[in-house]
Amino acid sequence: MKCFVMRKVGEVAVLDKRVPEPGPNEAVVRTTSAMLCSSDVHTVRGAIPVASDVTLGHEAVGTIHALGSAVEGLAEGERVAVGGVTPCFRCEFCQRGLSSQCGGRMMGGARFTVQRDGNLAEYFLVNDAQANLAPIPEALSDHQALYATDMLSTGFVAAEHAELDFGQTVAVFAQGAVGLSATIGCRLRGAGFVIAVESRPERQELARHFGADVIVDHTRCDPVEHILELTDGQGVDAAIEALGTPGTWEATFRVTKPGGRISNVGYHGEVPEPLKIPLEPFGYGMSDKHVHGGLNRGGRERLRRIFRLMEQGRVDPTPMTTHAFGFDEVERAFRMMEAGADGIIKPLIHFGG
Amino acid sequence: MKCFVMRKVGEVAVLDKRVPEPGPNEAVVRTTSAMLCSSDVHTVRGAIPVASDVTLGHEAVGTIHALGSAVEGLAEGERVAVGGVTPCFRCEFCQRGLSSQCGGRMMGGARFTVQRDGNLAEYFLVNDAQANLAPIPEALSDHQALYATDMLSTGFVAAEHAELDFGQTVAVFAQGAVGLSATIGCRLRGAGFVIAVESRPERQELARHFGADVIVDHTRCDPVEHILELTDGQGVDAAIEALGTPGTWEATFRVTKPGGRISNVGYHGEVPEPLKIPLEPFGYGMSDKHVHGGLNRGGRERLRRIFRLMEQGRVDPTPMTTHAFGFDEVERAFRMMEAGADGIIKPLIHFGG
Amino acid sequence: MKCFVMRKVGEVAVLDKRVPEPGPNEAVVRTTSAMLCSSDVHTVRGAIPVASDVTLGHEAVGTIHALGSAVEGLAEGERVAVGGVTPCFRCEFCQRGLSSQCGGRMMGGARFTVQRDGNLAEYFLVNDAQANLAPIPEALSDHQALYATDMLSTGFVAAEHAELDFGQTVAVFAQGAVGLSATIGCRLRGAGFVIAVESRPERQELARHFGADVIVDHTRCDPVEHILELTDGQGVDAAIEALGTPGTWEATFRVTKPGGRISNVGYHGEVPEPLKIPLEPFGYGMSDKHVHGGLNRGGRERLRRIFRLMEQGRVDPTPMTTHAFGFDEVERAFRMMEAGADGIIKPLIHFGG
Amino acid sequence: MKCFVMRKVGEVAVLDKRVPEPGPNEAVVRTTSAMLCSSDVHTVRGAIPVASDVTLGHEAVGTIHALGSAVEGLAEGERVAVGGVTPCFRCEFCQRGLSSQCGGRMMGGARFTVQRDGNLAEYFLVNDAQANLAPIPEALSDHQALYATDMLSTGFVAAEHAELDFGQTVAVFAQGAVGLSATIGCRLRGAGFVIAVESRPERQELARHFGADVIVDHTRCDPVEHILELTDGQGVDAAIEALGTPGTWEATFRVTKPGGRISNVGYHGEVPEPLKIPLEPFGYGMSDKHVHGGLNRGGRERLRRIFRLMEQGRVDPTPMTTHAFGFDEVERAFRMMEAGADGIIKPLIHFGG
């Protein structure tokens, strides 16, 4: 089967590998469509150490090709989605609800690419299949279901950690696919005022489409000052970091009220320096601000709740998809993602057949 | 009346001031005893900007001298304690439970010394007296009640933000009066393993007395390595920073498990540099660690719950009191606190009469 | 001034009373508009013991007529709303966030009518004015602001106690003004599937307008069976009781999943018998179901968040207003509410001048 | 192998059965010791429908006899405990943390006896062994470890649902083994005043030993009145029902403050009538009281936290063990439990060899 792999830092290729076989609790899925993620770009840049020739990708849907002997309640041929994070759900961390940190390993729930082959491949293996595979409702397209695997799930984590009450205010830094999903999440949680920080016009437009009340263009103003102005000098109840840069990270502290929440879903692996918390906006440690750095939690239960929101028409994330490719064009798609070319946000990858 | 004031950075004195008169919601308390706090030392060093000749102190008990016209349910002559933090309990921040950040001002609940005269004085004013004065139960000494005003309340905040479940593990960095109180708090919340980091023998002994299971002396080993060893390489569920130095702050990230909590009650005002979060132990922003920087919350309700714990014999914090002085010796007591002389932890200040 | 009072059980009238004068922490508001509530009807039926000739009403907006000497940050003439519940925000219950149960008195935050004169009067007194009066933003009509005082605030309490996660399922029993507001609240919190139980066509239509996905008409089917069918036999994650009858109360247990939440905002004062929990759907006490019986919490902070949702166009509750009257017609309006005549849901009462 | 079974309602026996064989995710444990539980008595009385000749018991420890092919991290011969509740930890309910209600079946985590053979047998089967077996630390005796499987875990659930803050007050109704464990749990969570309701002198003494501050003997006074007196007429912050009778259930509502929590762990299967909530103490549905009916949650992570509390000397539950028997005397032990003879609380059952 064909797989899109990272040969070494900076180098990708399509290679042939054997179709995997499932262990007792595993499943093998035949991929029907997938998406590239900015994490794939980070990985190829060397931000995360991975095995050589590892298959990239962690956002895919397909049909069940083979099921392990101990997997119940699923059938071969069934159309399924699988989370970008696939925890075991049995270890002590999972038992505490910390499935993102499965096994007590930092980001341990992230298996695809990080711990074994990802799913930008014609077939892929799913560990703990009963807990991680979610049948896709008939009413949803593969395209929609793909968004549940990572983008919406991660954006919703961001909104959950923002701990918004009815009518509270929130600023979301950056409106890439995760930031846009966080904007959707904040609206779904009843935020009363959503400020999106973004400079690219096409992303600004999407942010408005998905529910941002105001767009702050950080290339045209000091975003911290502007957010304080927009909130009568008080700051926001919560700020979400969905980019992973020192500047946006520090800004989240400057724009939040005392007692506010800083919810981070940006990956800070590219600048090899400690994250800095500015002293005064953190009240010298006594501002009662909370900081939470989160990751997608995975699991069928979460997938099904996100599916329901799409089924009932609460959200349709597909306008984030800016491009579509066949799997034979995956390398080109990847290079566009890498370059941020042509306003690309999310490329959809179709698998033949 | 005599007041112990800060004349300017580095300079203290005893001055005469007029006995204050209460507004409609206020009260004036005649002080019977008080304690010095390391925050008084920080303040005189210039860590917090204050008015010149402001009275120091925020830990005091006494009897009600005068009550404002709108204060109900209290009587002149009643023996009362008042929190080191005295929120209004009416503003929008207080209405949300963020009384420490009263008025939306960073640490806004802290009024004594920071916003107006403190209570190292023969008489002192209490804002919003009905919400902030707590009658002291007969069974408690003034000495015990003093600990409820700040040390226990702040140490318990530290333990609350550590969000401990039954039997979880916690490391408490530094065993000064707040750190010792955090150790007490962690034990009261059902921690299964409490590691105290401290080098001074008399504080180590107190830590053991108050329930630490193991003492880590950071002058004799790498405390991070040692804590990881003590927890089978896993780290602790929560770490408490009760000192306010860059080194202890960073260590809290290195000793916590993925998904762990960092609870800060140390004041980071002495080193004028951003706080640094080491990248790898923070999972590059994705470790699901929570950070919470807290402050005493004040209020009668909290005081009364702490009183009850002392009344029922759950805790007696008075062994932390290493020295006692008359109010006429307050400057000497302050200089000993400043110098950390003679193993001083908490000095008790008696007021005559 | 003219006041709409309850003379005795079953008897109402318009009486003249003196305009009240504010104490130090109080304010007097000149009423511009108000609404009748089904609680007024309950009260006149004798469900709650009240003083004779007490003024009815607890949903009103107006302009500040007089301010107590200790009230800050507000000005005479300012257009304000005041919650149907007006806690002191200073007592120990308020300090714990239990403002609905102010003073430790059951439903103690409910002062209007229950503890003193209500606000169906040309002027009315507001206790603890600084905490309870919220200036109305220019963008909002009096009519909209009125909904923040009780209906939306109570409906949102119902949704808060339903503790909904993204995409969860909820059934709301009865679509009167509180039930409709609960439906709005559930949608704002990201419910994935909202089932409204209601038989009257005009209320069904409003339920759909405000976001219910499915209407169950309990006069045409067994609502428990139907809700179980709609949820693949599993039941809903949460059920809201917004009526106050034994039948709907018991149904909430029958339609919830194990681990589900029962959120009650119905007033069960009319049938003088204990509430019954059916054994099997409660798992004989071991189903991990939560039950929470709630009340509006009041306070400026909450009012302002609800205002923000209306300002930003998230919700416009005014379609619930089915009728409008001048204050001189208030008795007629009351009798219509009492009789449920002409499909009345909420009547708006205009005050002259 | 010999098994202690329920032949039909009211009838028990020791029968021979085949030693089970583990499926891929299962394990078989050779029992070394076990305890009888009052639930076994309830079951034999017919409170729960079970298969005929089902093996009784759900509190046992032993050594691993055989491991399924997919179980990792455990070894044959290892000394292990297994929770009285053994969830799958993979289903959607377990993924939400509702492991007690595994599979969405009411009390679905309870498998022993209810869904298949229990563990009052020489060998027993454990589903999902990796998640449910916890190696017993060397420092703990089998006797101590047994208490983690059900009594302490359930008593701690009761305390968790009481949601106690530092220094709050709680009443625990009945001091059988679960009630005593709840008392332990409340003390471990920092309760400031623990009232135990119990009439039998030997249980009263144990309650005091485990940390109750006051004992209320309901045979000598009206316990509701007495608890109100003990709390200055206010009532307690939380009440725990650890018996399962209509009278104690109703009393929990009468003794709690507005906003209080009712935490139920009593099994209400013996009186076939709805549970009744008295109207006035529930504020006619508006008291902001929470009710939570809970069940042991099971799982290795929880077992290990309870082990740690015993290892560090926080608690030693073994004084609850009033009697010891060999497995050949199990029927006699059961009949004593049934009759409540000789002050029996928990009987320890030793297995030979």
Side-chain angles (χ1 to χ4, degrees):
Chain A
M1 64 173 191
K2 302 222 171 299
C3 306
F4 182 57
V5 308
M6 169 176 166
R7 304 233 51 178
K8 57 181 187 185
V9 172
E11 192 178 328
V12 294
V14 173
L15 291 190
D16 254 305
K17 297 191 186 180
R18 253 171 201 277
V19 175
E21 280 176 38
N25 292 308
E26 298 175 336
V28 173
V29 173
R30 188 173 60 76
T31 316
T32 50
S33 52
M35 290 209 265
L36 281 164
C37 177
S38 54
S39 310
D40 296 307
V41 174
H42 289 305
T43 302
V44 174
R45 278 191 197 142
I48 299 167
V50 296
S52 77
D53 286 348
V54 75
T55 305
L56 290 162
H58 52 269
E59 303 180 7
V61 299
T63 54
I64 298 178
H65 171 69
L67 282 171
S69 58
V71 181
E72 287 170 23
L74 291 162
E76 286 175 20
E78 207 165 358
R79 194 165 71 109
V80 289
V82 54
V85 158
T86 50
C88 77
F89 286 104
R90 274 179 299 195
C91 72
E92 297 185 32
F93 283 74
C94 286
Q95 288 186 26
R96 286 198 65 69
L98 288 164
S99 54
S100 55
Q101 315 294 324
C102 178
R105 176 175 173 158
M106 207 77 78
M107 296 176 277
R111 285 200 165 78
F112 292 125
T113 306
V114 184
Q115 299 179 41
R116 58 173 173 73
D117 278 334
N119 51 25
L120 280 165
E122 290 174 314
Y123 294 84
F124 64 93
L125 189 75
V126 180
N127 61 287
D128 303 288
Q130 206 168 314
N132 284 304
L133 290 181
I136 302 173
E138 226 172 305
L140 294 191
S141 66
D142 278 12
H143 187 184
Q144 289 176 302
L146 274 171
Y147 276 96
T149 65
D150 190 1
M151 293 300 99
L152 289 180
S153 188
T154 300
F156 289 4
V157 159
E160 285 161 347
H161 294 162
E163 292 173 23
L164 296 165
D165 275 350
F166 280 116
Q168 287 199 319
T169 56
V170 62
V172 185
F173 284 83
Q175 296 291 300
V178 167
L180 289 165
S181 297
T183 296
I184 293 170
C186 292
R187 280 300 301 270
L188 281 173
R189 292 305 283 169
F193 192 54
V194 180
I195 302 167
V197 182
E198 179 57 60
S199 64
R200 294 186 234 181
E202 66 277 12
R203 295 184 181 206
Q204 292 181 340
E205 199 176 316
L206 281 167
R208 268 187 217 99
H209 171 76
F210 287 125
D213 296 291
V214 177
I215 310 291
V216 168
D217 181 343
H218 56 284
T219 62
R220 295 174 178 234
C221 66
D222 177 324
V224 171
E225 268 176 39
H226 195 31
I227 290 168
L228 292 174
E229 270 165 38
L230 285 166
T231 54
D232 301 321
Q234 286 230 316
V236 285
D237 292 299
I240 292 174
E241 210 289 0
L243 186 60
T245 69
T248 43
W249 165 267
E250 288 170 37
T252 59
F253 291 86
R254 298 187 194 282
V255 301
T256 40
K257 290 180 190 173
R261 282 84 59 198
I262 286 97
S263 169
N264 183 77
V265 283
Y267 182 76
H268 294 273
E270 302 233 340
V271 179
E273 271 173 29
L275 284 167
K276 286 177 194 153
I277 300 183
L279 273 186
E280 195 278 334
F282 194 50
Y284 306 93
M286 297 193 160
S287 57
D288 269 306
K289 294 191 181 177
H290 308 222
V291 187
H292 196 133
L295 182 68
N296 184 3
R297 300 206 193 101
R300 173 204 292 231
E301 190 271 339
R302 190 168 176 88
L303 285 166
R304 289 195 56 191
R305 287 191 280 119
I306 301 174
F307 286 164
R308 196 179 287 126
L309 289 165
M310 291 191 277
E311 282 181 278
Q312 296 299 331
R314 304 290 197 270
V315 57
D316 177 11
T318 55
M320 283 185 225
T321 306
T322 48
H323 295 74
F325 302 87
F327 183 49
D328 53 345
E329 304 167 292
V330 64
E331 187 164 351
R332 186 159 71 87
F334 178 83
R335 293 300 174 198
M336 284 183 70
M337 278 294 275
E338 208 175 24
D342 191 30
I344 195 166
I345 298 179
K346 289 299 278 189
L348 178 64
I349 313 290
H350 290 291
F351 285 70
Chain B
M1 64 172 192
K2 301 222 171 302
C3 306
F4 182 57
V5 308
M6 170 176 165
R7 303 233 53 179
K8 57 181 189 188
V9 173
E11 192 180 326
V12 295
V14 173
L15 291 190
D16 254 305
K17 297 191 185 177
R18 257 172 199 274
V19 175
E21 281 177 37
N25 291 310
E26 297 175 336
V28 173
V29 174
R30 188 172 62 74
T31 316
T32 51
S33 53
M35 289 208 267
L36 283 163
C37 177
S38 54
S39 311
D40 296 308
V41 174
H42 289 303
T43 302
V44 174
R45 277 189 197 143
I48 299 167
V50 297
S52 78
D53 288 347
V54 75
T55 305
L56 290 161
H58 53 269
E59 303 180 8
V61 299
T63 54
I64 297 178
H65 172 68
L67 282 172
S69 58
V71 181
E72 286 170 22
L74 291 161
E76 286 175 19
E78 208 166 358
R79 193 164 71 107
V80 289
V82 53
V85 158
T86 51
C88 77
F89 285 104
R90 276 179 296 198
C91 71
E92 296 183 36
F93 282 75
C94 286
Q95 287 186 26
R96 286 199 63 70
L98 287 164
S99 54
S100 56
Q101 315 295 324
C102 177
R105 177 176 171 157
M106 206 77 78
M107 296 176 276
R111 285 199 164 77
F112 293 125
T113 308
V114 184
Q115 298 180 42
R116 59 176 172 71
D117 278 335
N119 51 24
L120 280 164
E122 290 174 315
Y123 294 84
F124 65 92
L125 189 75
V126 180
N127 62 287
D128 304 287
Q130 206 168 312
N132 283 303
L133 290 180
I136 302 173
E138 228 173 300
L140 293 191
S141 66
D142 278 13
H143 187 183
Q144 289 176 301
L146 275 170
Y147 276 96
T149 65
D150 190 0
M151 293 300 98
L152 289 180
S153 188
T154 301
F156 289 3
V157 159
E160 286 162 347
H161 295 163
E163 292 171 26
L164 295 165
D165 274 351
F166 281 116
Q168 286 198 320
T169 57
V170 62
V172 185
F173 284 84
Q175 295 291 301
V178 167
L180 289 165
S181 298
T183 295
I184 293 171
C186 291
R187 279 300 300 269
L188 282 172
R189 291 306 282 169
F193 192 54
V194 179
I195 301 168
V197 182
E198 179 58 59
S199 63
R200 293 185 236 181
E202 65 278 11
R203 294 184 180 205
Q204 291 181 341
E205 201 176 313
L206 281 167
R208 268 187 216 98
H209 171 76
F210 287 124
D213 295 292
V214 176
I215 310 292
V216 167
D217 182 343
H218 56 284
T219 63
R220 298 178 175 228
C221 66
D222 177 324
V224 170
E225 268 177 37
H226 195 30
I227 290 168
L228 292 175
E229 270 165 37
L230 286 166
T231 53
D232 301 321
Q234 286 229 316
V236 286
D237 291 299
I240 291 174
E241 211 289 0
L243 186 61
T245 67
T248 43
W249 164 268
E250 288 168 39
T252 59
F253 291 86
R254 298 188 193 283
V255 302
T256 39
K257 290 179 193 175
R261 284 81 61 196
I262 285 98
S263 169
N264 183 77
V265 285
Y267 183 75
H268 294 273
E270 302 232 341
V271 178
E273 273 173 27
L275 285 166
K276 286 177 194 154
I277 299 184
L279 272 187
E280 195 278 334
F282 194 49
Y284 306 92
M286 298 196 160
S287 59
D288 269 305
K289 294 191 181 178
H290 310 222
V291 186
H292 194 132
L295 182 68
N296 185 1
R297 299 206 193 102
R300 174 205 289 231
E301 190 270 339
R302 189 168 176 88
L303 285 166
R304 289 195 57 193
R305 286 191 281 121
I306 301 174
F307 287 166
R308 197 178 286 127
L309 290 165
M310 291 192 276
E311 282 182 276
Q312 296 299 332
R314 303 287 198 271
V315 57
D316 177 12
T318 55
M320 280 184 227
T321 305
T322 49
H323 295 74
F325 302 87
F327 183 49
D328 53 345
E329 304 167 293
V330 64
E331 188 166 349
R332 185 159 72 86
F334 178 84
R335 292 301 173 197
M336 283 183 69
M337 278 292 277
E338 209 175 23
D342 192 29
I344 196 167
I345 298 177
K346 288 301 277 188
L348 178 64
I349 313 290
H350 289 292
F351 285 70
Chain C
M1 64 173 192
K2 300 223 172 299
C3 306
F4 182 58
V5 309
M6 169 175 165
R7 304 234 51 177
K8 56 180 189 189
V9 171
E11 190 179 328
V12 295
V14 172
L15 291 189
D16 255 306
K17 297 190 187 181
R18 259 171 197 275
V19 175
E21 281 176 38
N25 292 309
E26 298 175 335
V28 172
V29 174
R30 188 172 61 76
T31 315
T32 50
S33 53
M35 290 209 266
L36 282 164
C37 177
S38 54
S39 310
D40 296 306
V41 174
H42 290 303
T43 302
V44 174
R45 278 191 197 142
I48 299 167
V50 297
S52 77
D53 286 348
V54 74
T55 305
L56 291 161
H58 52 269
E59 304 181 8
V61 300
T63 55
I64 297 178
H65 172 70
L67 281 171
S69 58
V71 180
E72 286 170 23
L74 291 162
E76 286 175 20
E78 207 165 359
R79 192 165 71 109
V80 290
V82 53
V85 158
T86 52
C88 76
F89 285 105
R90 275 178 297 198
C91 71
E92 298 183 34
F93 282 75
C94 285
Q95 288 186 26
R96 287 198 63 70
L98 287 164
S99 53
S100 56
Q101 314 295 324
C102 179
R105 177 175 171 158
M106 206 78 76
M107 296 175 275
R111 285 198 165 78
F112 292 125
T113 308
V114 184
Q115 298 180 41
R116 58 173 172 73
D117 277 336
N119 51 26
L120 280 165
E122 290 174 316
Y123 295 84
F124 64 92
L125 190 75
V126 180
N127 61 286
D128 304 287
Q130 206 167 313
N132 284 304
L133 290 180
I136 301 173
E138 227 173 305
L140 294 191
S141 66
D142 278 11
H143 187 183
Q144 290 177 301
L146 275 171
Y147 276 95
T149 65
D150 190 1
M151 293 300 97
L152 289 180
S153 188
T154 300
F156 289 4
V157 159
E160 286 161 347
H161 294 164
E163 293 173 22
L164 296 165
D165 274 351
F166 280 115
Q168 286 197 321
T169 55
V170 62
V172 185
F173 284 83
Q175 296 290 301
V178 168
L180 288 165
S181 297
T183 295
I184 292 170
C186 291
R187 280 299 303 268
L188 282 172
R189 292 304 283 168
F193 192 56
V194 180
I195 302 167
V197 183
E198 179 58 60
S199 63
R200 294 186 235 182
E202 65 277 13
R203 296 185 179 203
Q204 291 181 340
E205 200 176 315
L206 281 167
R208 268 187 216 99
H209 171 77
F210 287 126
D213 296 291
V214 176
I215 311 291
V216 168
D217 181 343
H218 55 286
T219 63
R220 296 176 177 233
C221 65
D222 178 324
V224 171
E225 268 176 38
H226 195 31
I227 290 169
L228 291 174
E229 269 165 38
L230 285 166
T231 54
D232 301 321
Q234 285 230 315
V236 286
D237 292 299
I240 292 174
E241 210 290 1
L243 186 61
T245 68
T248 43
W249 164 268
E250 288 170 37
T252 59
F253 291 87
R254 299 187 193 283
V255 300
T256 40
K257 291 179 189 173
R261 283 84 59 197
I262 286 98
S263 169
N264 182 77
V265 285
Y267 183 75
H268 294 273
E270 303 233 340
V271 179
E273 270 173 29
L275 285 166
K276 286 178 194 152
I277 300 183
L279 273 186
E280 195 278 333
F282 194 49
Y284 305 94
M286 298 194 158
S287 58
D288 270 304
K289 294 192 182 177
H290 309 223
V291 186
H292 195 133
L295 180 68
N296 184 2
R297 301 206 191 100
R300 173 205 290 235
E301 191 271 339
R302 190 169 176 86
L303 284 166
R304 289 195 56 193
R305 287 190 280 121
I306 300 175
F307 287 167
R308 196 178 287 126
L309 289 166
M310 291 191 277
E311 282 182 277
Q312 297 299 331
R314 303 288 198 272
V315 56
D316 177 11
T318 55
M320 281 185 228
T321 306
T322 48
H323 295 74
F325 302 86
F327 183 49
D328 53 345
E329 304 167 292
V330 63
E331 188 166 349
R332 186 161 69 88
F334 178 83
R335 293 299 173 198
M336 283 183 68
M337 278 294 275
E338 210 175 22
D342 191 30
I344 195 166
I345 299 178
K346 289 299 278 187
L348 178 64
I349 313 290
H350 291 292
F351 285 70
Chain D
M1 64 174 191
K2 301 220 170 303
C3 306
F4 182 57
V5 308
M6 170 176 165
R7 304 232 52 179
K8 57 181 186 186
V9 172
E11 191 180 327
V12 294
V14 173
L15 292 189
D16 256 303
K17 296 191 186 178
R18 255 171 200 278
V19 175
E21 278 176 41
N25 292 308
E26 298 174 334
V28 173
V29 174
R30 189 172 60 75
T31 315
T32 51
S33 53
M35 288 209 267
L36 282 163
C37 177
S38 54
S39 310
D40 296 307
V41 173
H42 288 306
T43 302
V44 174
R45 278 192 196 139
I48 299 166
V50 296
S52 77
D53 287 346
V54 75
T55 304
L56 290 162
H58 52 270
E59 304 180 8
V61 300
T63 54
I64 297 178
H65 171 69
L67 282 171
S69 58
V71 181
E72 287 171 22
L74 291 161
E76 286 176 19
E78 209 166 357
R79 193 164 71 108
V80 290
V82 53
V85 159
T86 51
C88 77
F89 286 104
R90 275 179 298 197
C91 71
E92 297 183 36
F93 283 74
C94 286
Q95 288 187 25
R96 287 198 64 70
L98 287 165
S99 53
S100 56
Q101 314 295 324
C102 178
R105 178 176 170 157
M106 207 77 79
M107 296 175 276
R111 284 200 165 78
F112 292 126
T113 307
V114 183
Q115 298 179 41
R116 58 174 171 74
D117 277 335
N119 51 25
L120 279 165
E122 290 174 315
Y123 294 85
F124 65 91
L125 189 75
V126 180
N127 61 287
D128 304 287
Q130 206 168 313
N132 284 305
L133 290 180
I136 301 173
E138 228 173 301
L140 293 191
S141 66
D142 278 12
H143 187 185
Q144 290 177 302
L146 275 171
Y147 276 96
T149 64
D150 189 1
M151 294 300 99
L152 290 180
S153 187
T154 301
F156 290 4
V157 159
E160 286 162 346
H161 294 163
E163 293 172 24
L164 296 165
D165 273 352
F166 280 116
Q168 287 198 319
T169 56
V170 62
V172 185
F173 284 84
Q175 297 290 300
V178 167
L180 289 166
S181 297
T183 295
I184 293 171
C186 290
R187 280 299 301 270
L188 282 172
R189 292 306 283 169
F193 192 54
V194 179
I195 302 167
V197 182
E198 180 57 59
S199 63
R200 293 186 234 180
E202 65 277 13
R203 295 184 180 204
Q204 291 182 341
E205 200 176 313
L206 281 168
R208 270 188 214 98
H209 171 76
F210 287 125
D213 295 292
V214 177
I215 310 292
V216 168
D217 181 344
H218 55 285
T219 62
R220 296 177 176 231
C221 66
D222 178 325
V224 171
E225 269 178 37
H226 195 31
I227 290 168
L228 291 175
E229 270 166 37
L230 286 166
T231 54
D232 301 321
Q234 286 228 317
V236 286
D237 291 299
I240 291 174
E241 211 289 2
L243 186 61
T245 68
T248 43
W249 164 267
E250 288 169 38
T252 60
F253 291 86
R254 298 188 194 282
V255 301
T256 41
K257 291 179 190 174
R261 283 83 60 198
I262 286 98
S263 168
N264 182 77
V265 283
Y267 182 75
H268 294 273
E270 302 232 341
V271 178
E273 272 173 29
L275 286 166
K276 286 177 194 153
I277 299 183
L279 272 186
E280 195 278 333
F282 194 50
Y284 307 93
M286 297 193 160
S287 59
D288 269 306
K289 294 192 182 177
H290 310 223
V291 186
H292 195 133
L295 181 68
N296 184 3
R297 300 207 192 100
R300 173 204 291 230
E301 191 271 340
R302 189 167 176 88
L303 285 166
R304 288 196 57 192
R305 288 191 280 120
I306 300 174
F307 287 165
R308 198 179 285 128
L309 290 166
M310 291 192 276
E311 282 182 278
Q312 296 298 331
R314 304 290 198 270
V315 57
D316 177 11
T318 55
M320 280 184 228
T321 306
T322 49
H323 295 74
F325 301 88
F327 184 49
D328 53 345
E329 304 167 293
V330 64
E331 186 164 350
R332 186 160 71 87
F334 179 83
R335 292 300 173 197
M336 284 183 69
M337 279 293 277
E338 208 174 25
D342 192 30
I344 196 167
I345 298 177
K346 287 301 277 191
L348 178 65
I349 313 291
H350 291 293
F351 284 70

